């Protein structure tokens, strides 16, 4: 799975993502769901558990940068 395949996918925060934190998200890919280590995209604040996010950058094999999918 390449970067182009991951960027733009939606997921859900399962471990708080924020500045100075290594969070976790679950993303539906390859016919299932997988967990990734997650960091906030630049300019993004804290994303609590349950937040729907969009992948904006993928660093193989298991790291993504995310931002909230919807404005609150």
């Amino acid at each position: 799975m390449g970067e182009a395949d991951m960027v733009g996918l939606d997921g859900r925060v399962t471990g708080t993502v924020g500045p100075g934190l290594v969070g976790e998200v679950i993303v539906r890919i390859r016919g299932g769901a997988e967990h990734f280590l997650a960091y906030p995209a630049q300019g993004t604040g804290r994303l609590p558990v349950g937040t729907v996010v969009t992948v904006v950058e993928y660093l193989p094999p298991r790291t993504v940068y995310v931002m909230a999918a919807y404005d609150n």
Side-chain angles (χ1 to χ4, degrees):
M1 171 151 283
E3 180 176 354
D5 298 326
M6 285 291 297
V7 172
L9 292 180
D10 289 334
R12 187 169 303 271
V13 175
T14 55
T16 302
V17 176
L21 300 173
V22 178
E24 183 182 64
V25 296
I26 189 167
V27 179
R28 290 190 166 277
I29 57 170
R30 295 187 279 262
E34 296 183 23
H35 288 265
F36 292 85
L37 297 177
Y39 294 93
Q42 187 170 1
T44 301
R46 194 175 189 98
L47 301 168
V49 172
T51 302
V52 176
V53 295
T54 300
V55 175
V56 296
E57 188 175 349
Y58 171 59
L59 301 174
R62 310 286 314 159
T63 303
V64 292
Y65 283 80
V66 297
M67 61 183 283
Y70 308 105
D71 291 334
N72 289 339

